[in-house]
Amino acid sequence: MNRVLHYIMPLAIVTLSLLPQKSTAQELEAKVVVNHSKIQGTNTSVFTTLQEAMTEFINTRKWSNAQYTTREKIACSFNLIVNEYSDDGRFGCSLMVQANRPVYNASYNTTVFNFNDNAVDFNYIEHDKLEFSDDIVDNNLTAVLAYYAYLIIGLDMDTFAPKGGTDVLNKAENVVNNAQMLGEDGWKAFGDSKNRHALINDYMNGAMEPYRQLFYDYHRKGLDEMVQNAERGRSNITTSLTLLEKAKQDKPMSVLPQLFTEIKKDELINVYSKGTSKEKEEVNRILCLVNPSLTSDWDKIKE
């Protein structure tokens, strides 16, 4: 998938671009940081080599059949915070993952995904080579990194074409299924409403189809339109948020609608700073329903 084509070609032609094509570059341009400030009295070189290995693993692997040019790579970050470390190579970590997307004809990048995973435990010996197979998942670190790589790419594709990332998101689901045998936290069904299993399971659940459509309508019809016509773009965003409300109603226990509002909070406040009174009232109503814990922030929209 050439991401630029989504900006300039009709949807019927864009859909064709989702078919496998000759690749020109890997999909991700990830900045990786391994923060080991909590660990004292140990050789720090293991953390340096881990950071280098993670960077190479994420950025040099081709994760899909889609076509990307170098300038179309998805900007993302992986911030691994080491909470525990033992000399036998056992790590207890949390991982903060963020991915951004450029807004058409603007210097602004919007955050598509931002998540803090508190259950990233794995074994790594200095200079270990990180390897991964979709069919056999036998290493928790590479499984976690592959899962988020697929998730980032799939979500990004969904912002450019309705359900455009289905094939890649299916790979994320496959990682979850194959990782069950590892016995590590974060993969189990019903283990946590915000774990890796819950995120992809909810996103691909039929009841959450309005949420997937939201990703396209909000970004492609909304934000991408605002530079050329702010009123039309904002109106499309308002309409897209009704899909967020429906997703919340259809699957009230899902964390995804809340996560979306947390990621987009400041952006939404800014978008509606010049909205009409009617738009502000409607959006405030929807957002207060979806995430009442941020009511004081949503009230800023009405000001």
Side-chain angles (χ1 to χ4, degrees):
M1 180 188 66
N2 187 312
R3 296 166 84 213
V4 173
L5 293 181
H6 286 285
Y7 291 135
I8 60 177
M9 300 178 70
L11 181 58
I13 299 177
V14 169
T15 302
L16 294 177
S17 72
L18 297 175
L19 298 175
Q21 302 179 41
K22 183 179 179 181
S23 65
T24 56
Q26 288 75 25
E27 300 90 344
L28 301 179
E29 185 173 7
K31 179 180 180 181
V32 178
V33 174
V34 175
N35 184 333
H36 56 90
S37 61
K38 295 182 180 180
I39 308 302
Q40 304 297 326
T42 189
N43 183 1
T44 61
S45 63
V46 65
F47 306 116
T48 301
T49 60
L50 174 59
Q51 180 172 300
E52 292 170 350
M54 289 174 59
T55 301
E56 179 181 6
F57 177 78
I58 296 167
N59 287 335
T60 63
R61 184 182 177 91
K62 194 73 175 68
W63 296 100
S64 73
N65 293 324
Q67 179 180 349
Y68 284 68
T69 64
T70 298
R71 68 187 184 90
E72 291 173 330
K73 288 186 176 185
I74 303 168
C76 54
S77 62
F78 289 70
N79 187 2
L80 185 75
I81 301 171
V82 184
N83 300 313
E84 298 176 359
Y85 171 72
S86 58
D87 291 338
D88 63 354
R90 184 64 176 175
F91 284 73
C93 306
S94 59
L95 178 66
M96 298 178 65
V97 183
Q98 179 171 318
N100 300 321
R101 172 200 190 277
V103 173
Y104 179 54
N105 255 354
S107 58
Y108 175 69
N109 289 325
T110 182
T111 300
V112 173
F113 183 71
N114 191 349
F115 187 71
N116 187 17
D117 189 330
N118 290 313
V120 183
D121 300 341
F122 56 89
N123 299 310
Y124 172 80
I125 302 298
E126 188 171 359
H127 301 302
D128 274 357
K129 183 174 178 59
L130 301 186
E131 297 178 327
F132 175 77
S133 168
D134 284 304
D135 298 323
I136 302 175
V137 176
D138 58 4
N139 180 286
N140 199 48
L141 174 59
T142 56
V144 169
L145 297 179
Y147 167 84
Y148 284 113
Y150 287 139
L151 188 61
I152 287 170
I153 296 166
L155 294 178
D156 184 81
M157 288 178 171
D158 270 9
T159 71
F160 287 104
K163 296 186 180 180
T166 297
D167 288 347
V168 182
L169 292 168
N170 284 338
K171 290 187 175 185
E173 282 190 304
N174 188 57
V175 174
V176 170
N177 293 333
N178 289 336
Q180 299 300 313
M181 61 176 288
L182 294 174
E184 300 279 6
D185 290 340
W187 301 112
K188 297 295 183 181
F190 312 113
D192 185 338
S193 64
K194 290 183 67 175
N195 70 6
R196 294 182 288 275
H197 181 282
L199 288 183
I200 190 64
N201 183 70
D202 281 2
Y203 193 74
M204 301 297 281
N205 189 298
M208 293 295 283
E209 285 196 6
Y211 188 81
R212 286 195 73 181
Q213 185 65 39
L214 161 73
F215 258 63
Y216 174 73
D217 290 354
Y218 180 93
H219 294 94
R220 186 69 189 94
K221 293 183 178 180
L223 291 181
D224 285 349
E225 180 67 26
M226 289 197 71
V227 172
Q228 291 186 326
N229 190 315
E231 289 73 21
R232 182 163 62 235
R234 189 169 55 247
S235 176
N236 289 342
I237 288 176
T238 303
T239 301
S240 77
L241 292 177
T242 63
L243 296 171
L244 183 67
E245 179 181 15
K246 180 168 176 51
K248 177 67 174 179
Q249 293 171 340
D250 290 350
K251 207 170 191 303
M253 299 305 294
S254 173
V255 73
L256 293 181
Q258 176 185 331
L259 184 62
F260 183 88
T261 59
E262 291 171 353
I263 292 172
K264 299 295 189 180
K265 180 188 70 176
D266 293 339
E267 183 172 272
L268 286 165
I269 292 172
N270 183 57
V271 164
Y272 288 98
S273 62
K274 297 182 180 180
T276 66
S277 296
K278 183 178 179 181
E279 285 175 332
K280 291 181 177 183
E281 289 289 339
E282 174 66 1
V283 169
N284 175 268
R285 181 192 68 78
I286 292 173
L287 295 176
C288 285
L289 173 68
V290 172
N291 192 347
S293 68
L294 295 178
T295 295
S296 60
D297 293 290
W298 307 138
D299 286 345
K300 296 175 183 177
I301 290 175
K302 296 192 298 182
E303 295 175 357

